[in-house]
C-alpha cells in the first residue's frame, strides 16, 4: 500500500483547463497534477480549428456574444457568455506570452483569424490546423519550468474522497481522490485542500467519435457519485465532418475547411446545405450534422462529401497541412477529390454544474473545461468556444482556489480492495464497452425518440448491474474503471434526454419537434 500524497492543489487532467489552472496556482503552493495517460494525451491535443476570441477591429464582443447565444438556441446563461467572451482577448495574450505560436497572415504581421460555423466574423486564432497540439506543447513546457508542479502520468483517478462519504459532519467537502497507478497496479491516495476536476469530455460513450480514448466521462461520473449536480447531458454535439475511413479511427476534418470555402455535397454531387439554412455550409453545427444525417438517410448513402477542390491547392496544403497529410495517408488528395465525411460524437455541452469561477456545489471541488457546465454553450456550442471556456474558467478557478484554500490536506483512509481477486473474465468488460457505445449510437444519436431512449435506458440499467457486481468483486483495472464511468455517463445522457420534452439545439426528438416556451436546464443529482 502506498503512503498518502498531500498537496495544496490537486489537479485531475492535463489538457488546457488542468494545465492553465496548475500554472496559475503554482506560485501559491504545491501542485499535484494527475493524468491517466501520457501528459499530452487529451482532447486539447487534437483540437484543430482554433480558439475563438475577439481579436480584430472588425469584430466586437457584442457580436461574439450574439453568435454564441444564437448557436445556444435560447439556453445559454447570458451572464456566463458575457464574462467568458469578454475575458478571452486578455487570456489569448497570456497564452502567447506562455509561448503559443498562433499563425500570422502572410508577411508575419497580424494574426490569421479563421472562420467556422455560426460565427459572423473571422475570430478563430489557430496554429495551422494543429492548434491544440501547439497549446498543449507550450503549456507543458511552461509547467515543466515550475518546481512546485509534480505531474503523475498513468495515474487514473477512480473516485473523489468527500467528507460525506467518510461520514464527517457539515457541508460536503472534497478532500482528494483515489487513483490507480496503472504501471504498478496500486491505488494511491491523494489529499488536497483544493481539487480541480479537468478531465474533459465523454466522446467514447458513442461508437463513432472524434475524441481520443481518454474521453470516457470520468469526471462527470465521479462528481455525480460524489453528490454534485449535473446539467444538460442530453446536448451531445456531433461534429458534422469526420473522415469516413475505417482505418482512420475517426479523424476530424476541421470546420475551418468549410470556413475557407469547402462545400458539402450529396451522393449526386449536388450541394445541399442551402436547403437547410441561410448560412449554408457555415450554419451552426447542430443544423449541419442533422442535415447530413437526413441526406444520408434519404439516399441510403454511407457518407456525404466535402469538396474544397475549387481552391488553390497550394493554399489548401499550407492552411491545412495536418489534415492534408493525414487524408493523403488514406489515399485521398483533398486538393483533387472531395473527401467522404460523416458526423461523429464530438463534444459534451453538459457537465458538472459550476459558476463561471468553476465552483461546484461541493466545497473544495472546482471544475473547468469540457467536464463542467457554466451555461456558456446552452443547447449547442459555438465552434472554437470550448478552448476559450476552458481557459477562462481555469483562470478564474485558480483565483478562487488561492483565495479559498484554507484547510491543509488531512489524513484519509487508504483504498480498500477487500479480498478481490484478479478479474478473469475480461471478455465481459470488453463486451460491455462495445455494447454501451453501440446502443448509444443507435438509440441516443442525432435524431431521438422516446421509444429508443427507453430501450437504451433498460439496457444501460442491466449493464450497470453487471458492471457494479464486477467492480465490487474484483480488483480494479483501467478498463473496468472507465467502463463503470461510461455506463454512468450513458445513464445521465439518457435520463436528461428523456426529461426534455422538446427539440432544442442538439437534442432533436421526433416525439416533440417543437420548443417549450420556457427554456430550462435539465439538472440531475444523485438521490
Ligand atoms: P482535455 O483536453 O480532454 O483533457 C482532459 C485530461 O484529463 C486529459 O489529460 C486526460 O487524460 C485526463 N483525464 C481524464 N480522465 C481522467 C482520470 N480519471 N484520471 C486522470 N486523468 C484523467 N475546441 C475548440 O474550442 N476548438 C477546436 O478547434 C477544437 N477542435 C477539436 C478537435 C478534436 C478532434 C476534438 C476531439 C475536440 C476539439 N475541440 C475543439 C474541443 C476541445 O478540444 C476540448 O473541449 C478541450 O480541449 C477540453 O479541454 P479540457 O482541458 O477540458 O480536457
Ligand atoms: C474543428 O476544428 O472543426 C473543431 C472546432 C471545435 O470543435 O470547436
Amino acid at each position: 500500500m502506498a503512503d498518502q500524497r498531500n498537496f495544496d492543489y490537486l489537479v485531475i487532467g492535463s489538457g488546457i483547463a488542468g494545465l492553465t489552472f496548475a500554472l496559475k496556482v503554482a506560485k501559491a503552493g504545491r501542485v499535484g497534477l494527475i493524468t491517466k495517460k501520457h501528459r499530452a494525451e487529451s482532447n486539447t491535443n487534437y483540437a484543430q480549428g482554433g480558439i475563438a476570441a475577439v481579436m480584430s477591429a472588425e469584430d466586437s464582443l457584442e457580436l461574439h456574444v450574439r453568435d454564441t447565444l444564437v448557436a445556444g438556441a435560447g439556453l445559454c446563461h447570458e451572464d456566463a457568455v458575457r464574462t467568458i467572451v469578454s475575458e478571452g482577448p486578455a487570456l489569448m495574450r497570456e497564452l502567447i506570452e506562455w509561448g503559443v505560436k498562433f499563425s500570422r497572415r502572410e508577411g508575419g504581421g497580424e494574426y490569421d483569424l479563421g472562420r467556422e460555423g455560426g460565427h459572423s466574423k473571422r475570430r478563430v486564432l489557430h496554429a495551422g490546423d494543429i492548434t491544440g497540439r501547439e497549446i498543449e506543447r507550450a503549456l507543458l513546457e511552461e509547467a515543466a519550468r515550475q518546481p512546485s508542479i509534480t505531474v503523475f502520468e498513468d495515474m487514473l483517478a477512480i473516485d473523489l474522497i468527500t467528507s460525506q462519504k467518510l461520514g464527517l459532519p457539515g457541508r460536503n467537502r472534497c478532500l482528494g481522490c483515489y487513483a490507480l497507478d496503472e504501471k504498478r497496479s496500486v491505488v494511491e491516495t491523494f489529499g488536497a485542500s483544493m481539487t480541480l476536476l479537468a478531465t474533459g469530455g465523454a466522446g467514447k460513450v458513442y461508437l463513432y467519435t472524434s475524441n481520443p480514448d481518454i474521453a470516457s466521462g470520468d469526471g462527470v461520473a465521479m462528481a455525480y457519485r460524489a453528490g454534485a449536480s449535473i446539467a444538460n447531458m442530453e446536448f451531445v454535439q456531433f461534429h458534422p465532418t469526420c473522415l469516413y475511413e475505417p482505418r482512420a479511427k475517426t479523424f476530424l476534418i476541421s470546420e475551418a475547411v468549410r470556413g475557407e470555402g469547402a462545400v458539402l455535397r450529396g451522393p449526386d454531387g449536388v450541394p445541399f446545405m442551402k436547403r437547410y439554412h441561410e448560412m449554408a455550409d457555415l450554419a451552426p453545427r447542430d443544423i449541419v450534422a442533422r442535415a447530413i444525417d437526413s441526406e444520408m438517410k434519404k439516399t441510403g448513402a454511407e457518407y456525404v462529401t466535402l469538396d474544397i477542390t475549387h481552391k488553390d491547392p497550394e493554399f489548401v496544403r499550407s492552411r491545412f497541412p495536418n489534415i492534408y497529410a493525414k487524408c493523403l495517408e488514406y489515399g485521398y488528395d483533398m486538393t483533387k477529390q472531395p473527401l467522404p465525411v460523416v458526423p461523429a460524437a464530438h463534444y459534451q455541452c453538459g457537465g458538472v454544474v459550476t459558476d463561471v469561477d468553476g465552483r461546484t456545489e461541493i466545497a473544495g471541488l472546482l471544475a473547468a473545461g469540457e467536464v463542467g457546465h457554466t451555461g456558456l454553450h446552452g443547447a449547442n456550442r459555438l465552434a472554437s468556444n470550448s478552448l476559450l471556456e476552458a481557459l477562462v474558467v481555469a483562470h478564474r478557478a485558480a483565483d478562487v482556489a488561492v483565495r479559498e484554500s484554507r484547510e491543509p490536506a488531512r489524513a484519509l483512509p487508504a483504498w480498500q480492495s477487500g479480498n478481490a481477486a484478479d478479474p478473469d473474465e475480461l471478455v465481459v468488460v470488453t463486451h460491455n464497452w462495445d455494447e454501451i457505445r453501440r446502443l448509444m449510437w443507435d438509440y441516443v444519436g442525432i435524431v431521438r425518440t422516446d421509444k429508443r431512449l427507453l430501450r437504451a435506458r433498460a439496457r444501460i440499467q442491466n449493464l450497470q448491474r453487471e458492471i457494479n457486481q464486477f467492480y465490487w468483486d474484483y480488483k480494479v483495472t483501467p478498463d473496468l474503471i472507465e467502463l463503470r464511468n461510461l455506463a454512468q455517463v450513458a445513464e445521465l445522457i439518457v435520463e436528461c434526454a428523456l426529461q426534455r420534452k422538446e427539440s432544442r439545439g442538439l437534442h432533436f426528438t421526433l416525439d416533440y419537434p417543437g420548443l417549450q416556451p420556457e427554456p430550462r436546464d435539465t439538472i440531475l443529482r444523485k438521490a
Side-chain angles (χ1 to χ4, degrees):
M1 189 177 305
D3 288 339
Q4 180 175 330
R5 297 178 188 271
N6 289 335
F7 292 93
D8 299 303
Y9 307 102
L10 174 64
V11 181
I12 310 178
S14 57
I16 187 173
L19 288 169
T20 300
F21 177 91
L23 287 171
K24 291 190 169 241
V25 296
K27 291 214 165 41
R30 292 182 60 237
V31 185
L33 187 156
I34 70 176
T35 187
K36 68 180 175 180
K37 295 289 170 223
H38 179 272
R39 62 192 69 196
E41 193 55 11
S42 56
N43 274 8
T44 301
N45 205 41
Y46 296 87
Q48 294 183 351
I51 177 161
V54 174
M55 301 295 286
S56 99
E58 280 133 56
D59 197 2
S60 71
L61 295 175
E62 210 44 50
L63 282 176
H64 191 177
V65 166
R66 196 197 63 190
D67 292 347
T68 304
L69 295 176
V70 169
L75 208 60
C76 298
H77 299 192
E78 190 167 338
D79 46 352
V81 176
R82 290 193 176 278
T83 304
I84 291 170
V85 162
S86 60
E87 293 192 7
L91 291 177
M92 294 307 131
R93 286 189 277 277
E94 191 170 49
L95 273 186
I96 293 164
E97 276 162 29
W98 277 336
V100 176
K101 291 188 177 52
F102 289 119
S103 299
R104 291 179 184 270
R105 300 209 353 220
E106 244 169 66
E110 287 167 25
Y111 285 107
D112 179 42
L113 301 175
R115 190 164 170 208
E116 291 172 27
H119 288 276
S120 58
K121 293 283 172 190
R122 285 189 169 264
R123 65 166 72 97
V124 182
L125 276 166
H126 63 95
D129 58 355
I130 50 163
T131 311
R133 205 187 303 166
E134 172 59 10
I135 293 175
E136 193 70 19
R137 176 202 63 75
L139 295 181
L140 281 172
E141 283 179 15
E142 189 64 22
R145 288 190 275 272
Q146 308 299 325
S148 56
I149 301 179
T150 309
V151 178
F152 298 86
E153 292 181 324
D154 301 307
M155 189 66 79
L156 170 63
I158 305 173
D159 255 325
L160 299 168
I161 306 172
T162 59
S163 55
Q164 201 169 65
K165 283 188 196 165
L166 299 184
L168 300 172
R171 183 181 168 199
N172 194 16
R173 180 166 196 96
C174 181
L175 305 169
C177 81
Y178 294 114
L180 176 66
D181 179 334
E182 298 185 44
K183 289 262 162 70
R184 295 188 304 135
S185 296
V186 173
V187 177
E188 300 249 18
T189 308
F190 286 82
S193 170
M194 279 286 183
T195 299
L196 176 82
L197 207 48
T199 46
K204 292 297 283 187
V205 80
Y206 284 90
L207 188 58
Y208 302 109
T209 173
S210 66
N211 291 192
D213 290 347
I214 55 100
S216 49
D218 301 356
V220 166
M222 287 190 284
Y224 180 71
R225 289 194 292 264
S229 292
I230 309 294
N232 288 356
M233 293 296 286
E234 67 274 40
F235 298 116
V236 176
Q237 184 168 68
F238 290 81
H239 195 292
T241 57
C242 288
L243 189 66
Y244 177 78
E245 167 55 61
R247 290 168 297 164
K249 210 182 165 189
T250 329
F251 177 67
L252 189 80
I253 308 296
S254 175
E255 205 155 287
V257 177
R258 272 176 287 134
E260 298 299 349
V263 174
L264 285 161
R265 297 181 188 277
D268 51 3
V270 177
F272 55 83
M273 272 312 301
K274 279 212 178 91
R275 282 192 274 116
Y276 290 90
H277 197 273
E278 70 211 14
M279 289 176 85
D281 294 276
L282 284 177
R285 211 169 264 184
D286 56 331
I287 290 160
V288 183
R290 255 195 320 273
I292 295 176
D293 186 68
S294 148
E295 289 294 308
M296 283 166 54
K297 287 207 171 108
K298 240 177 3 209
T299 60
E302 289 181 328
Y303 56 81
V304 296
T305 60
L306 182 68
D307 187 0
I308 194 164
T309 55
H310 54 287
K311 288 290 221 185
D312 173 18
E314 196 35 53
F315 166 75
V316 173
R317 279 192 289 268
S318 66
R319 175 69 179 84
F320 303 111
N322 174 50
I323 297 172
Y324 174 77
K326 197 79 181 177
C327 291
L328 208 55
E329 247 177 60
Y330 295 113
Y332 300 102
D333 181 342
M334 67 192 281
T335 65
K336 296 199 176 108
Q337 66 198 117
L339 299 171
V341 292
V342 284
H346 181 62
Y347 185 84
Q348 181 65 63
C349 292
V352 184
V353 173
T354 73
D355 62 14
V356 80
D357 297 329
R359 277 194 200 86
T360 70
E361 292 157 330
I362 301 175
L365 181 68
L366 301 158
E370 194 166 337
V371 70
H373 174 273
T374 60
L376 171 71
H377 308 308
N380 176 37
R381 173 178 68 99
L382 183 67
S384 287
N385 262 0
S386 54
L387 292 171
L388 171 71
E389 182 192 45
L391 189 68
V392 174
V393 178
H395 162 81
R396 295 175 69 94
D399 276 354
V400 170
V402 172
R403 269 201 320 272
E404 296 180 8
S405 74
R406 280 177 216 107
E407 300 179 21
R410 59 168 90 186
L412 299 167
W415 174 259
Q416 298 293 323
S417 55
N419 297 320
D422 281 325
D424 56 359
E425 288 201 62
L426 286 179
V427 64
V428 178
V429 175
T430 321
H431 174 88
N432 288 352
W433 255 87
D434 293 346
E435 188 170 344
I436 290 179
R437 299 184 66 207
R438 185 169 287 284
L439 80 85
M440 288 299 285
W441 184 260
D442 289 342
Y443 300 152
V444 198
I446 296 173
V447 176
R448 299 164 179 176
T449 64
D450 273 359
K451 196 169 157 202
R452 288 183 209 156
L453 291 173
L454 289 168
R455 200 172 282 158
R457 177 200 263 169
R459 303 255 168 112
I460 291 165
Q461 282 170 350
N462 276 342
L463 285 165
Q464 278 183 310
R465 269 192 291 277
E466 200 168 300
I467 292 164
N468 277 334
Q469 190 188 349
F470 227 76
Y471 184 81
W472 295 115
D473 285 354
Y474 296 109
K475 267 188 185 158
V476 287
T477 63
D479 279 353
L480 181 55
I481 293 166
E482 289 183 345
L483 174 66
R484 179 175 177 240
N485 293 334
L486 274 189
Q488 182 62 75
V489 169
E491 183 203 312
L492 292 170
I493 295 172
V494 170
E495 288 312 318
C496 284
L498 278 166
Q499 285 192 21
R500 187 165 293 281
K501 304 292 185 204
E502 62 173 349
S503 290
R504 184 185 292 278
L506 297 159
H507 177 72
F508 184 81
T509 160
L510 297 175
D511 293 324
Y512 311 96
L515 281 173
Q516 291 286 345
E518 274 296 298
R520 282 222 178 89
D521 289 334
T522 320
I523 310 271
L524 299 179
R525 194 148 183 265
K526 201 169 164 56

